[in-house]
Amino acid sequence: NKMQTETKEREKSEATASLEDMSMTVKSLTEALDALKAEVAEMNVQMKRAGEDRENQNTEFQATVSDQRATEKLLKAALVVLEGFYSKKEAAAFAQQAPAGPPPPGGFKSYAKNGASGGVMALLQQIIDDAKAMESEAIRSEEDAQKGYEDFVKETNASIDAKSKEMVNKSEEKAKTEARLVEEKKTLESVMTELEGLANYNAELHQSCDFILKNFDIRQQARDEEVEALKQANAILSGANFD
């Protein structure tokens, strides 16, 4: 009985330690799953915000390009008009200055092109070139921003996939651990029941031993009296006289 009790006590200690370990494992897995869920949720939020920002940037880009192209178109039209205007003006001025007779003698200068017309048209051309440059820069920036957004989405989705797989693995591990935890609890309950039975048996055995020890003298005296009575009975049967 003592050996059985010691064996069950060891089983109890092992089961208790195992329960503690599995409980800690379940707790750790639960915390890890909560953290992964929070990380995935945050990445989804960041990706949504990035999409909204990209949409706003694209809207601004479209407006910028549209404005620059409209400016270019308007200025090119103005440039054509000015070129025609100044060409006609120069032709008329040249016609008015041309002599009716023979060519002018040496020392007379030929008609010089109006400097003001050249300055205005050069300014318009510069503005057109600047508008084209701004359009090109806007296109490059848009392409860079779009590529950056696509890379971010790709990396974020890959990270979400990895964390989702990790969540599945940890969920499976948690479920298996919880199942083992239930079985280990049953084992511990069984061991505790057996220990309780052994303890009750030991108590009853101890009580019986105590009763035997306490009543040993009385039972010994009763046995002696029984032996003496048997002797007397035997003597009577043998014809002995007790007077």
Side-chain angles (χ1 to χ4, degrees):
N1 185 267
K2 180 180 179 183
M3 186 176 296
Q4 288 179 318
T5 301
E6 290 176 349
T7 299
K8 292 302 174 184
E9 286 291 347
R10 281 197 300 273
E11 291 179 4
K12 174 187 173 183
S13 297
E14 291 171 358
T16 301
S18 180
L19 280 173
E20 291 177 354
D21 289 343
M22 284 188 284
S23 295
M24 291 298 296
T25 299
V26 169
K27 181 182 178 183
S28 176
L29 288 170
T30 300
E31 292 174 350
L33 282 169
D34 290 342
L36 285 169
K37 289 176 183 176
E39 289 173 8
V40 169
E42 178 61 23
M43 283 189 286
N44 281 321
V45 169
Q46 292 299 327
M47 196 156 53
K48 182 175 181 295
R49 289 176 180 170
E52 293 171 350
D53 291 343
R54 180 83 279 274
E55 185 176 353
N56 292 333
Q57 290 171 353
N58 182 260
T59 299
E60 292 178 4
F61 161 74
Q62 296 292 345
T64 298
V65 170
S66 178
D67 290 345
Q68 296 308 314
R69 287 177 178 174
T71 300
E72 292 173 34
K73 183 177 180 180
L74 181 62
L75 292 178
K76 284 180 179 179
L79 189 60
V80 170
V81 171
L82 285 176
E83 285 176 345
F85 172 75
Y86 283 118
S87 294
K88 291 178 180 179
K89 187 176 180 181
E90 288 172 1
F94 180 78
Q96 290 176 358
Q97 293 179 6
F108 283 85
K109 294 181 179 179
S110 61
Y111 172 76
K113 189 176 181 180
N114 192 327
S117 64
V120 171
M121 288 190 291
L123 178 60
L124 287 176
Q125 186 60 54
Q126 182 61 49
I127 296 174
I128 291 172
D129 293 341
D130 290 344
K132 287 182 179 179
M134 288 182 68
E135 178 184 346
S136 298
E137 180 61 28
I139 291 173
R140 283 195 298 272
S141 296
E142 171 65 13
E143 290 174 348
D144 291 342
Q146 182 63 26
K147 184 178 183 305
Y149 170 71
E150 291 174 356
D151 291 342
F152 171 75
V153 171
K154 183 179 179 181
E155 292 172 2
T156 302
N157 281 327
S159 182
I160 288 175
D161 288 342
K163 290 184 182 299
S164 296
K165 290 178 182 177
E166 187 177 357
M167 286 170 62
V168 171
N169 294 335
K170 288 188 180 298
S171 294
E172 291 176 353
E173 183 181 357
K174 180 183 176 183
K176 291 178 181 178
T177 304
E178 288 175 334
R180 284 174 25 230
L181 189 62
V182 171
E183 292 301 318
E184 197 67 30
K185 284 181 179 179
K186 291 180 180 178
T187 299
L188 181 59
E189 290 174 358
S190 176
V191 170
M192 294 298 292
T193 299
E194 292 183 43
L195 279 172
E196 184 178 356
L198 288 170
N200 291 335
Y201 176 76
N202 287 336
E204 291 174 0
L205 185 62
H206 189 270
Q207 185 177 10
S208 177
C209 290
D210 288 344
F211 177 79
I212 292 173
L213 290 174
K214 288 180 180 178
N215 295 277
F216 177 77
D217 293 339
I218 297 174
R219 294 181 67 182
Q220 186 66 39
Q221 182 179 353
R223 184 179 291 268
D224 291 343
E225 290 176 353
E226 289 176 0
V227 171
E228 183 62 28
L230 287 172
K231 287 180 179 181
Q232 290 181 1
N234 187 40
I236 291 173
L237 293 174
S238 300
N241 186 4
F242 296 97
D243 294 336

